[in-house]
């Protein structure tokens, strides 16, 4: 097997140090962003990046104090709305978390009849392991820790986004480059904080649990799986609740404002405009933050569970055991260097530089991370070791594991570029969708749906290739590490992803504050690039979810002692059919929820336009608070049924039908869920950017379709409105569905294996 170059002591130092570096870098970026003042009376800061320049050098005939004051007021309204919603949502989620934690303890504790005596280990009967009751208790603690970390990740992301939006607007007056840097630095605050926070909490949890478990690493890492379950359970409610909120407001604002009243996007006369901007933060920022944290936690847990019953766990090789965390640690350092290329090494001088700079972030981080993974694999892994593979130990070389992580990393880049090709208005697919608007909304929708279905092909081949290579080299552990490879540059991915909603909000604030057309053009350019990067972020999330779910499925099959999953047996096949149906059921619930909430929003916006004198003339203010309340109430109420569907399905199937049927359900939901998620996200993204392509009128072709308010533009707005719940509610939530059901099944596997299949036992 051989010794590793990196000692256990250095491993214990390296992981927390990298996490602390990430947190420190996040704080450093925050300090730089905070130098842009929102108070008109504050003295200007002298220094780099133009902070000493006048904030009003490009505003014609407008008082600088009024502009800054208006931006600050709008920012406060958005921040208060987002904070209020998240507090309300977290109260409901907290009410759910407590009984579910009790359920975990009771189900897992009952495996050995709540015995407090040590038992023979599952995979090595010559050793003794801690009682099932201990696993129940520590799994419950890990679940609560994962849930709290997920909620904090989402909340902190929302706070920095609402802190940065108006600052981005003000910097847009100096040029598009200055605005880009503020938005991107703010995204980096969220990215690094979340990546470092998730890593540090997981590392500390492992070390604290180790004090009790000692040499029982099998029990220790079984208990750690609760961390992934907690992270994903909270992410589900954040994604669904936030998605319903943002799209109800967006659809209501667009349908009445743009189509019926023919007023611009984010016009302050539109009563739903504040709710729309709040939604960007609670859905796209807080929801995405919790989602990617959940993916990272689950991929780590899946890898650790398999490693604990492989030679790393059997031989108590602590450095080899924590290889997944070492990969994530190096990822933070790599992303830090990558971020400097966007903020310090290159300067954006024109609108056309924005998208290439963001794409360069993906390429640079992937290349540097490949080198980082090679180094970690060389110093942290023995030259050969064994990996548990469905009952047998498979010998693996360190270079093979490097390839597993590398193939996941590069598959992520391929998925990112394919997503960009199908959703960016710089390429022919979106331009074709825009051109179809000439003949109305119907042809626009047909072209958009076709684009979404076609966009599934290459990502699925990339995921399939990753699975084949990873499983061939290192069985299910290889697939888990492939997923972690895709997520290893999570800090950069989140920075790019958070940049989009921040830019979107900045454009909204510019419109509401009455800033000049030129400023709005700049923020629109930032936002259009942000739409594409958001679609790329969703592509990463869905691709990694497929790999994570399969790795968790493998860990579940091993832990539930299933020798093989035969699709020809009725028990498995009925599970396969039901599992493939679940993403459709879930999508129907979330789409209907958005539709119901949007209906109420449309009625309220129409009512205000019809009953408030002077609203259309701009002499009266709309009632923003009522629209915010409609979105809040609807999303809180409507997020519960889809959440219950996902959380209860594994419990019901495992308890009543047993582990074989449940394995079919997990496989079916994975296969159909990934396809629907990719097509839904890309269809919605394409419709959104087709609308922006017409609005920008940057090419001769686009000019023939515009301007705003033309019939093709109205058809594009309808397509965008239909796509909103697809790309921001149903699509992104589906990747949580497939992960969450798999990790929940893994956590409850001992209970299902012992007490499950009640119906089949009776009959």
């Amino acid at each position: 097997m051989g010794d590793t170059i990196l000692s256990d002591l250095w491993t214990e130092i390296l992981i927390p140090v990298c996490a602390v570096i990430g947190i420190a870098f996040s704080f450093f970026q925050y300090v730089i962003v905070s130098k842009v003042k929102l108070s008109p009376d504050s003295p200007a800061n002298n220094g780099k990046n133009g902070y000493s320049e006048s904030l009003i050098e490009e505003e014609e005939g407008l008082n600088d104090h009024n502009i800054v004051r208006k931006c600050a007021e709008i920012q406060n309204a958005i921040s208060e709305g987002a904070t209020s919603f998240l507090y309300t949502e977290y109260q409901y989620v907290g009410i759910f978390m407590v009984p579910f934690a009790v359920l975990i303890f009771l189900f897992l504790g009952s495996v050995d009849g709540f015995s407090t005596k040590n038992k023979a280990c599952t995979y090595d009967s010559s050793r003794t392991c801690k009682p099932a009751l201990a696993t129940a208790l520590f799994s419950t603690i890990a679940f609560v820790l994962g849930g709290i970390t997920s909620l904090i990740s989402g909340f902190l992301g929302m706070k920095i986004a609402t802190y940065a939006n108006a600052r981005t607007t003000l910097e847009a007056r100096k040029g598009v480059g200055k605005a880009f840097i503020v938005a991107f630095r703010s995204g980096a605050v969220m990215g690094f904080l979340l990546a470092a926070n998730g890593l540090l909490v997981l590392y500390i949890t492992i070390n604290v649990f180790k004090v009790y478990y000692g040499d029982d690493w099998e029990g220790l890492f079984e208990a750690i799986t609760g961390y992934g379950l907690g992270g994903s359970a909270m992410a589900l409610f954040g994604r669904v609740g936030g998605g319903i909120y943002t799209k109800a407001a967006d659809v209501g604002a667009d349908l009445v404002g743009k189509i019926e009243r023919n007023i611009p996007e984010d016009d302050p006369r539109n009563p739903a405009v504040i709710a729309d901007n709040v939604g960007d933060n609670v859905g796209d920022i807080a929801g995405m933050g919790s989602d990617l944290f959940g993916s990272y936690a689950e991929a780590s847990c899946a890898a650790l569970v398999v490693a604990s019953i492989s030679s790393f766990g059997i031989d108590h090789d602590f450095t080899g055991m924590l290889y997944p965390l070492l990969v994530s640690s190096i990822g933070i350092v790599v992303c830090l260097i990558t971020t400097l290329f966007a903020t310090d090494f290159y300067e954006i001088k024109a609108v056309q530089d924005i998208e290439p700079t963001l794409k360069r972030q993906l390429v640079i981080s992937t290349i540097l991370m490949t080198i980082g993974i090679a180094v970690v694999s060389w110093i942290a892994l023995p030259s050969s070791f064994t990996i548990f593979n469905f009952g047998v130990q498979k010998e693996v070389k360190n270079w093979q594991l490097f390839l597993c992580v590398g193939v996941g990393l590069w598959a992520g880049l391929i998925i990112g570029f394919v997503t960009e090709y199908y959703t960016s208005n710089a390429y022919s697919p979106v331009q074709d969708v825009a051109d179809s608007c000439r003949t109305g909304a119907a042809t626009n929708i047909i072209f958009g749906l076709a684009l979404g279905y076609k966009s599934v092909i290459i990502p699925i081949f990339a995921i399939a290739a990753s699975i084949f290579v990873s499983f061939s080299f290192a069985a299910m552990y290889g697939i888990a590490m492939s997923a972690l490879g895709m997520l290893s540059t999570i800090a950069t991915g989140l920075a790019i992803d958070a940049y989009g909603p921040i830019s979107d909000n900045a454009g909204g604030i510019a419109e509401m504050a009455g800033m000049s057309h030129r400023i709005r053009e700049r923020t629109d350019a930032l936002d259009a690039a942000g739409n594409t990067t958001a679609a790329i972020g969703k592509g990463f999330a869905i691709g990694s979810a497929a790999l994570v779910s399969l790795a968790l499925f493998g860990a579940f099959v091993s832990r539930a002692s299933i020798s093989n999953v035969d699709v020809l047996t009725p028990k498995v096949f009925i599970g396969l059919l039901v599992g493939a149906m679940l993403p459709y059921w879930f999508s129907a619930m979330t789409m209907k929820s958005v539709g119901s909430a949007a209906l109420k929003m449309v009625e309220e916006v129409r009512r205000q336009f019809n009953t408030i004198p002077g609203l259309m003339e701009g002499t009266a203010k709309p009632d923003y608070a009522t629209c915010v309340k409609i979105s809040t109430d609807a999303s809180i109420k409507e997020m519960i049924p889809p959440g219950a569907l996902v959380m209860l399905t594994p419990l019901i199937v495992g308890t009543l039908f047993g582990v074989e049927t449940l394995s079919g359900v997990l496989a079916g939901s994975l296969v159909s869920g990934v396809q629907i998620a990719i097509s839904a996200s890309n269809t919605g993204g394409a419709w959104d950017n087709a609308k922006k392509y017409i609005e920008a009128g940057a090419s001769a072709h686009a000019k023939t379709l515009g301007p705003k308010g033309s019939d093709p533009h109205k058809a594009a707005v309808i397509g965008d409105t239909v796509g909103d719940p697809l790309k921001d509610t149903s699509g992104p939530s589906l990747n949580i569905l497939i992960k969450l059901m798999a990790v929940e099944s893994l956590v409850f596997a001992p209970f299902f294996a012992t007490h499950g299949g009640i119906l089949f036992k009776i009959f």
Side-chain angles (χ1 to χ4, degrees), residues 104-105 108-109 111 115 119 129-142 209 212-213 216 218-226 559 747 750:
I104 293 171
F105 178 74
L108 295 184
V111 170
S115 169
K119 59 184 175 68
C129 286
K130 299 294 182 184
L133 192 64
T135 303
L137 176 63
F138 283 99
S139 293
T140 305
I141 293 168
F209 283 16
Y212 169 78
Y213 276 99
D216 177 16
E218 182 187 308
L220 164 62
F221 290 102
E222 273 190 16
I224 288 293
T225 56
R559 200 174 170 193
V747 169

Side-chain angles (χ1 to χ4, degrees), residues 392-450:
V392 296
Q393 295 287 344
K394 176 185 175 74
E395 187 168 330
V396 180
K397 307 287 186 189
N398 57 4
W399 63 266
Q400 291 176 315
L401 200 52
F402 157 69
L403 287 177
C404 292
V405 185
V407 78
L409 176 67
W410 283 90
L413 185 67
I414 291 166
I415 291 170
F417 277 130
V418 170
T419 304
E420 189 224 7
Y421 174 72
Y422 280 106
T423 58
S424 170
N425 55 29
Y427 302 105
S428 61
V430 170
Q431 291 174 9
D432 289 344
V433 172
D435 191 66
S436 71
C437 294
R438 291 177 187 278
T439 48
T443 44
N444 179 29
I445 287 169
I446 292 166
F447 269 69
L449 288 172

Side-chain angles (χ1 to χ4, degrees), residues 14-15 28 58 106 153 163 227 273 387 543 581 650 656 678:
L14 185 64
I15 294 170
F28 170 70
E58 293 191 5
L106 293 176
S153 298
Y163 182 81
Y227 184 73
V273 72
I387 293 295
M581 171 273 294
L656 297 181
I678 294 172

Side-chain angles (χ1 to χ4, degrees), residues 553-571:
F553 176 73
F556 161 73
V557 169
S558 302
R559 200 174 170 193
S561 305
I562 303 171
S563 52
N564 66 328
V565 179
D566 185 357
V567 295
L568 295 177
T569 58
K571 283 183 185 178

Side-chain angles (χ1 to χ4, degrees), residues 678-692:
I678 294 172
S679 65
S681 293
N682 289 349
T683 294
W687 275 328
D688 194 350
N689 272 346
K691 176 199 73 176
K692 283 189 163 53

